PDB file of all heavy atoms in Angstrom:
ATOM      1  N   ALA A  16      91.762 117.500 116.594  1.00  0.00           N
ATOM      2  CA  ALA A  16      92.440 117.049 117.843  1.00  0.00           C
ATOM      3  C   ALA A  16      91.990 117.819 119.000  1.00  0.00           C
ATOM      4  O   ALA A  16      91.793 119.153 118.838  1.00  0.00           O
ATOM      5  CB  ALA A  16      93.883 117.184 117.577  1.00  0.00           C
ATOM      6  N   TYR A  17      91.823 117.299 120.135  1.00  0.00           N
ATOM      7  CA  TYR A  17      91.556 117.989 121.382  1.00  0.00           C
ATOM      8  C   TYR A  17      90.062 118.330 121.438  1.00  0.00           C
ATOM      9  O   TYR A  17      89.554 119.024 122.466  1.00  0.00           O
ATOM     10  CB  TYR A  17      92.356 119.304 121.505  1.00  0.00           C
ATOM     11  CG  TYR A  17      92.540 119.855 122.953  1.00  0.00           C
ATOM     12  CD1 TYR A  17      93.248 119.155 123.878  1.00  0.00           C
ATOM     13  CD2 TYR A  17      91.778 121.028 123.288  1.00  0.00           C
ATOM     14  CE1 TYR A  17      93.376 119.669 125.127  1.00  0.00           C
ATOM     15  CE2 TYR A  17      91.921 121.455 124.590  1.00  0.00           C
ATOM     16  CZ  TYR A  17      92.732 120.802 125.515  1.00  0.00           C
ATOM     17  OH  TYR A  17      92.807 121.303 126.794  1.00  0.00           O
ATOM     18  N   GLY A  19      87.600 116.362 122.079  1.00  0.00           N
ATOM     19  CA  GLY A  19      86.916 115.629 123.112  1.00  0.00           C
ATOM     20  C   GLY A  19      86.300 114.352 122.762  1.00  0.00           C
ATOM     21  O   GLY A  19      85.361 113.941 123.457  1.00  0.00           O
ATOM     22  N   LYS A  20      86.738 113.800 121.629  1.00  0.00           N
ATOM     23  CA  LYS A  20      86.174 112.530 121.157  1.00  0.00           C
ATOM     24  C   LYS A  20      86.362 111.392 122.074  1.00  0.00           C
ATOM     25  O   LYS A  20      85.422 110.664 122.477  1.00  0.00           O
ATOM     26  CB  LYS A  20      86.729 112.179 119.852  1.00  0.00           C
ATOM     27  CG  LYS A  20      86.559 113.309 118.698  1.00  0.00           C
ATOM     28  CD  LYS A  20      87.237 112.974 117.386  1.00  0.00           C
ATOM     29  CE  LYS A  20      88.711 112.976 117.515  1.00  0.00           C
ATOM     30  NZ  LYS A  20      89.215 114.359 117.848  1.00  0.00           N
ATOM     31  N   THR A  21      87.563 111.199 122.514  1.00  0.00           N
ATOM     32  CA  THR A  21      87.957 110.141 123.365  1.00  0.00           C
ATOM     33  C   THR A  21      87.204 110.227 124.664  1.00  0.00           C
ATOM     34  O   THR A  21      86.708 109.316 125.256  1.00  0.00           O
ATOM     35  CB  THR A  21      89.505 110.103 123.690  1.00  0.00           C
ATOM     36  OG1 THR A  21      90.065 109.887 122.394  1.00  0.00           O
ATOM     37  CG2 THR A  21      89.828 108.872 124.425  1.00  0.00           C
ATOM     38  N   SER A  22      87.117 111.511 125.228  1.00  0.00           N
ATOM     39  CA  SER A  22      86.457 111.762 126.527  1.00  0.00           C
ATOM     40  C   SER A  22      84.956 111.428 126.441  1.00  0.00           C
ATOM     41  O   SER A  22      84.281 110.732 127.394  1.00  0.00           O
ATOM     42  CB  SER A  22      86.541 113.197 126.850  1.00  0.00           C
ATOM     43  OG  SER A  22      87.916 113.544 126.987  1.00  0.00           O
ATOM     44  N   TYR A  39      96.622 115.683 128.483  1.00  0.00           N
ATOM     45  CA  TYR A  39      96.105 115.261 127.136  1.00  0.00           C
ATOM     46  C   TYR A  39      97.121 114.667 126.305  1.00  0.00           C
ATOM     47  O   TYR A  39      96.827 113.594 125.632  1.00  0.00           O
ATOM     48  CB  TYR A  39      95.556 116.526 126.467  1.00  0.00           C
ATOM     49  CG  TYR A  39      95.341 116.491 125.048  1.00  0.00           C
ATOM     50  CD1 TYR A  39      94.324 115.600 124.475  1.00  0.00           C
ATOM     51  CD2 TYR A  39      96.167 117.116 124.141  1.00  0.00           C
ATOM     52  CE1 TYR A  39      94.296 115.494 123.086  1.00  0.00           C
ATOM     53  CE2 TYR A  39      95.975 116.989 122.724  1.00  0.00           C
ATOM     54  CZ  TYR A  39      94.969 116.272 122.258  1.00  0.00           C
ATOM     55  OH  TYR A  39      94.888 116.115 120.826  1.00  0.00           O
ATOM     56  N   VAL A  42      97.138 110.888 126.529  1.00  0.00           N
ATOM     57  CA  VAL A  42      96.002 110.097 126.080  1.00  0.00           C
ATOM     58  C   VAL A  42      95.614 110.573 124.734  1.00  0.00           C
ATOM     59  O   VAL A  42      94.470 109.992 124.275  1.00  0.00           O
ATOM     60  CB  VAL A  42      94.725 110.275 127.116  1.00  0.00           C
ATOM     61  CG1 VAL A  42      95.056 109.759 128.387  1.00  0.00           C
ATOM     62  CG2 VAL A  42      94.431 111.684 127.235  1.00  0.00           C
ATOM     63  N   ILE A  43      96.320 111.298 124.085  1.00  0.00           N
ATOM     64  CA  ILE A  43      96.068 111.634 122.732  1.00  0.00           C
ATOM     65  C   ILE A  43      95.974 110.315 121.868  1.00  0.00           C
ATOM     66  O   ILE A  43      96.605 109.442 122.064  1.00  0.00           O
ATOM     67  CB  ILE A  43      97.280 112.552 122.181  1.00  0.00           C
ATOM     68  CG1 ILE A  43      96.907 113.255 120.856  1.00  0.00           C
ATOM     69  CG2 ILE A  43      98.480 111.699 122.032  1.00  0.00           C
ATOM     70  CD1 ILE A  43      98.011 114.324 120.737  1.00  0.00           C
ATOM     71  N   THR A  44      94.872 110.268 121.014  1.00  0.00           N
ATOM     72  CA  THR A  44      94.690 109.157 120.316  1.00  0.00           C
ATOM     73  C   THR A  44      95.714 108.829 119.264  1.00  0.00           C
ATOM     74  O   THR A  44      95.973 109.801 118.480  1.00  0.00           O
ATOM     75  CB  THR A  44      93.218 109.014 119.770  1.00  0.00           C
ATOM     76  OG1 THR A  44      92.266 109.374 120.734  1.00  0.00           O
ATOM     77  CG2 THR A  44      92.820 107.834 119.112  1.00  0.00           C
ATOM     78  N   ILE A  45      96.105 107.637 119.082  1.00  0.00           N
ATOM     79  CA  ILE A  45      97.106 107.145 118.138  1.00  0.00           C
ATOM     80  C   ILE A  45      96.391 106.311 117.035  1.00  0.00           C
ATOM     81  O   ILE A  45      95.872 105.354 117.468  1.00  0.00           O
ATOM     82  CB  ILE A  45      98.235 106.367 118.775  1.00  0.00           C
ATOM     83  CG1 ILE A  45      98.808 107.071 119.993  1.00  0.00           C
ATOM     84  CG2 ILE A  45      99.293 106.055 117.756  1.00  0.00           C
ATOM     85  CD1 ILE A  45      99.389 108.330 119.680  1.00  0.00           C
ATOM     86  N   ASP A  67      86.961 105.534 117.527  1.00  0.00           N
ATOM     87  CA  ASP A  67      87.281 106.884 117.992  1.00  0.00           C
ATOM     88  C   ASP A  67      88.588 107.192 117.306  1.00  0.00           C
ATOM     89  O   ASP A  67      89.611 106.714 117.527  1.00  0.00           O
ATOM     90  CB  ASP A  67      87.458 106.797 119.604  1.00  0.00           C
ATOM     91  CG  ASP A  67      88.219 107.988 120.152  1.00  0.00           C
ATOM     92  OD1 ASP A  67      88.148 109.014 119.509  1.00  0.00           O
ATOM     93  OD2 ASP A  67      88.794 107.920 121.186  1.00  0.00           O
ATOM     94  N   THR A  68      88.522 108.073 116.296  1.00  0.00           N
ATOM     95  CA  THR A  68      89.622 108.323 115.469  1.00  0.00           C
ATOM     96  C   THR A  68      90.530 109.448 116.125  1.00  0.00           C
ATOM     97  O   THR A  68      90.060 110.183 116.922  1.00  0.00           O
ATOM     98  CB  THR A  68      89.149 108.834 114.063  1.00  0.00           C
ATOM     99  OG1 THR A  68      88.549 110.071 114.139  1.00  0.00           O
ATOM    100  CG2 THR A  68      88.338 107.818 113.404  1.00  0.00           C
ATOM    101  N   ALA A  69      91.745 109.469 115.680  1.00  0.00           N
ATOM    102  CA  ALA A  69      92.669 110.603 116.142  1.00  0.00           C
ATOM    103  C   ALA A  69      92.406 111.807 115.357  1.00  0.00           C
ATOM    104  O   ALA A  69      92.234 111.743 114.153  1.00  0.00           O
ATOM    105  CB  ALA A  69      94.107 110.126 115.915  1.00  0.00           C
ATOM    106  N   GLY A  70      92.402 112.912 116.011  1.00  0.00           N
ATOM    107  CA  GLY A  70      92.302 114.239 115.350  1.00  0.00           C
ATOM    108  C   GLY A  70      93.507 114.691 114.671  1.00  0.00           C
ATOM    109  O   GLY A  70      93.502 115.533 113.779  1.00  0.00           O
TER     110      GLY A  70
ATOM    111  N   SER B 361      97.011 105.856 125.790  1.00  0.00           N
ATOM    112  CA  SER B 361      95.699 105.617 125.105  1.00  0.00           C
ATOM    113  C   SER B 361      95.581 104.064 124.766  1.00  0.00           C
ATOM    114  O   SER B 361      94.480 103.701 124.655  1.00  0.00           O
ATOM    115  CB  SER B 361      95.603 106.545 123.886  1.00  0.00           C
ATOM    116  OG  SER B 361      96.691 106.248 123.033  1.00  0.00           O
TER     117      SER B 361
HETATM  118 MG1  LIG C   2      91.285 111.013 121.340  1.00  0.00          MG
END
Side-chain angles (χ1 to χ4, degrees):
Chain A
Y17 202 72
K20 300 176 290 300
T21 303
S22 303
Y39 162 67
V42 293
I43 194 164
T44 306
I45 308 300
D67 168 23
T68 64
Chain B
S361 62

